[in-house]
Structure formats: structure tokens, C-alpha cells
Amino acid sequence: CVPKKLKLNPISDVFPLIHFHGGRPYGLLPRQKAKLRFFIYICGNYFDMDLRIGNGYDVHALAEGLPLWLGGVQIESPIGCIAHSDGDVAIHALCDALLGALALGDIGKHFPDTSAEFKGIDSKILLERVMDLIGKDGWRLVNADITIAMQRPKLAPYIIPMRECLASVMGCSVGQVSVKATTTEKLGFVGRSEGCEVYAVVLLERVDETYD
């Protein structure tokens, strides 16, 4: 986490941080104290809002005879999401998390369901546009964690394909994308197969060429 250009020795320059007496570091030479003050100043600026967390949630009603898309992958299922777009509720929650991390609003603000432009649109296109937005703002993905709550069909066979698809769209490694699926033990509207809900959390970091 320390900018390499500082060339601070973690033992001689940073370790003295923990040696305090009466609220003051002791046993330090003036040169070490100067380095310590500089280290605290730089790290304080380095960590100032360089990480952002975003939370997303979306839900769609389900109906017979509709295609089911989750995480960019078509799922073999007798039921699918009712939606203006392709109904990929997982990508929609992910987009909301990404936008929310930077206080850029939500997916409805950027891609309103009243617009004919987005009628039946592939949600992967929406995710690409969101990634472009955060990239132009100077941020990149650290990791994403997605939880899909759906009673049926079973989603376990699709987890890896979803992770691979999302990583490809977002331009990151598969290891940065987690997808989990759960049922609600037949409780609530999800348990009655009336709807599918998805929770997404993302961590973003600022892109700064000054630091490695």
C-alpha cells in the first residue's frame, strides 16, 4: 500500500509507528521523525476515498414461457423474468452496485424502462456501458460478489459460466467475480417461484498511475 517511490524501509521507517509513550513516538532520530511524518501524510492522502463500495438489489417477477437470462447466460427454464429488457436481474443488480459506488444513480436513471431504445436489449450491453462510465471516471473493479435468490431451476451448473461471462464483459479476471445461488426454502414470493431477486456488492479502486 506504500507508494514505491518513497523507498521507505518497513522496519526502520514504519515499525517505529507502534513505539509510543505518552502519545508520542520515542527513540527516533530527527531524520526518522521526518520520514514518519511524511509517511503518515502520504498514506493519509493515498487512502482518502481511493476505495468505494457499492450495493445493488433488483427483483423481477417470473412467468411461464419467457426466456431466463442470469449473469449473461441463458438458463434452461420453463419460467423467465418479466422485463422491459432481456430481464437479466443479476446484471441489473450488478449495474446498480457499480453505479451506486460512485453515486451515479441507478440503472433506471441511465437506462429507463420507458425508452424504446432499451426494449429487449441484451443486459450485457448495459453492463459494458456502466463499466465505461466508471472507467472514464477514473475507477476500476476490485471485486464483485453476487447472490441470486431463486427457488427453481437449480443454478449450480451455471455458476462458472456466469462468472466467466461477467468477467469477460467487465474486463477482469474470473477470480474477481463471485456468483452464488440460493433458494428461500419455499418461503415468500421467491419460494413460490413468483419472482427472482439478486443482491450485488462491489469494491472499486481509483486508477492512479502514481501508485503500483
Side-chain angles (χ1 to χ4, degrees), residues 144-158:
D145 188 13
I146 302 163
T147 302
I148 303 170
M150 191 171 190
Q151 192 63 39
R152 63 184 177 99
K154 295 297 184 183
L155 299 178
Y158 301 97

Side-chain angles (χ1 to χ4, degrees), residues 38-118:
F38 186 56
F39 171 79
I40 294 171
Y41 171 77
I42 290 295
C43 283
N45 287 309
Y46 178 64
F47 287 111
D48 182 25
M49 300 303 288
D50 279 334
L51 295 175
R52 295 284 184 89
I53 298 173
N55 176 64
Y57 170 82
D58 198 20
V59 59
H60 280 297
L62 296 168
E64 296 283 342
L66 294 177
L68 177 62
W69 288 88
L70 289 172
V73 175
Q74 186 163 19
I75 311 297
E76 186 175 342
S77 171
I79 54 178
C81 292
I82 300 172
H84 183 69
S85 64
D86 65 359
D88 194 326
V89 62
I91 286 185
H92 297 171
L94 178 57
C95 286
D96 267 357
L98 291 164
L99 293 168
L102 299 183
L104 295 176
D106 59 22
I107 192 172
K109 173 184 176 181
H110 294 269
F111 316 112
D113 59 10
T114 54
S115 172
E117 177 186 356
F118 307 114

Side-chain angles (χ1 to χ4, degrees), residues 1-3 6 8-10 13-15 17 32-47:
C1 69
V2 182
L6 290 182
L8 293 178
N9 185 301
D13 297 324
V14 180
F15 185 74
L17 261 172
Q32 290 176 310
K33 290 181 180 179
K35 283 188 175 182
L36 184 57
R37 285 194 296 271
F38 186 56
F39 171 79
I40 294 171
Y41 171 77
I42 290 295
C43 283
N45 287 309
Y46 178 64
F47 287 111

Side-chain angles (χ1 to χ4, degrees), residues 115-147:
S115 172
E117 177 186 356
F118 307 114
K119 178 68 175 176
I121 193 170
D122 184 339
S123 292
K124 293 190 290 294
I125 296 173
L126 305 184
L127 181 56
E128 287 175 349
R129 294 185 183 181
V130 169
M131 292 303 294
D132 284 343
L133 278 175
I134 68 171
K136 289 176 181 177
D137 234 19
W139 298 82
R140 64 187 171 199
L141 181 73
V142 175
N143 74 298
D145 188 13
I146 302 163
T147 302

